[in-house]
Amino acid sequence: MLTGGFVTIGVALLFAALAVYQIVRARAELRLLAVTPTTPIASTPHGRVVEIQGTVVPSEQGITVSPASGIQAVVYRVDVLNTAGSVTREYTAKDRREFWLHDDSGAYARILPESAQLTVLTQRYSPGQSSVVVRDNIRYVPMAPELLAWAFAVTDKRDDRLAVEEMLILPGERVLAQGFAERTTDGTLFLRDHPDRELT
């Protein structure tokens, strides 16, 4: 019994350490976003960490559709969570299409979001939610019966403590992107994950 207690404490400490790591990492990302100046795409230099802002324009890869809301997007991530006790992820669906950012200078930059870190307002659909509430960058929304049925189907669970979280980047949306800037031989700017800097 004593050994079981030590194992339980060890597992709890491991989860606590992981949670602290995630919080520290998120704060560091937000600090870096705050201190890096935004540059116009047309004058953004090659080979440096930069921040650009613009309107999302789909590339030739087109758009995709979120299975949670049916909304058309260039990027989505949907997680089905089990909120009974400690929250666990039961299922994940995601699709990321390359897209363009078009800024006020009239220039375009290509965004390759395959491994990008998303910092967007998350929509959480919950069966017990009675009204819409925004808290801690999460918008809590009542879950429609059709979405709950989809969550049951993809997880093979019939549990009303399932919740669905959705993150989207939409065509026409204003987006801030930060990462390592590179230019092709024709001068096109693009941002993607790079060993020197994660794309955010």
Side-chain angles (χ1 to χ4, degrees):
M1 185 163 7
L2 188 59
T3 303
F6 284 126
V7 169
T8 302
I9 290 170
V11 169
L13 289 174
L14 177 64
F15 280 121
L18 287 172
V20 168
Y21 169 76
Q22 290 293 339
I23 291 168
V24 168
R25 182 178 174 201
R27 286 186 177 165
E29 288 286 338
L30 289 174
R31 264 195 309 275
L32 193 55
L33 282 171
V35 300
T36 304
T38 304
T39 59
I41 291 171
S43 58
T44 297
H46 169 83
R48 291 182 27 201
V49 173
V50 300
E51 179 176 283
I52 59 174
Q53 185 173 24
T55 302
V56 173
V57 178
S59 71
E60 75 286 347
Q61 292 185 359
I63 55 175
T64 184
V65 176
S66 168
S69 61
I71 293 174
Q72 294 182 337
V74 292
V75 173
Y76 77 74
R77 179 187 171 111
V78 175
D79 292 311
V80 180
L81 309 173
N82 188 336
T83 61
S86 61
V87 177
T88 56
R89 187 178 293 119
E90 300 288 338
Y91 175 83
T92 297
K94 60 184 177 179
D95 193 3
R96 296 179 178 203
R97 308 289 173 94
E98 294 179 14
F99 61 91
W100 297 96
L101 283 186
H102 178 237
D103 73 1
D104 297 335
S105 72
Y108 287 82
R110 191 165 181 105
I111 307 299
L112 288 65
E114 186 53 41
S115 302
Q117 174 73 31
L118 295 181
T119 306
V120 299
L121 180 68
T122 300
Q123 188 120 298
R124 180 183 280 194
Y125 304 91
S126 302
Q129 190 72 29
S130 59
S131 61
V132 176
V133 177
V134 177
R135 185 174 62 248
D136 299 329
N137 208 34
I138 299 177
R139 185 173 186 256
Y140 295 86
V141 179
M143 185 186 290
E146 301 80 25
L147 182 54
L148 184 58
W150 175 82
F152 288 161
V154 297
T155 60
D156 204 24
K157 295 189 178 209
R158 310 286 286 170
D159 191 333
D160 62 3
R161 290 169 296 186
L162 292 178
V164 175
E165 283 193 350
E166 177 185 55
M167 292 186 284
L168 303 169
I169 296 179
L170 307 176
E173 190 171 36
R174 292 286 289 176
V175 166
L176 192 70
Q178 189 181 87
F180 193 82
E182 299 176 75
R183 287 195 181 269
T184 60
T185 53
D186 68 358
T188 302
L189 179 72
F190 67 96
L191 272 65
R192 63 178 172 184
D193 246 12
H194 188 274
D196 291 343
R197 178 69 175 94
E198 181 181 46
L199 176 62
T200 304

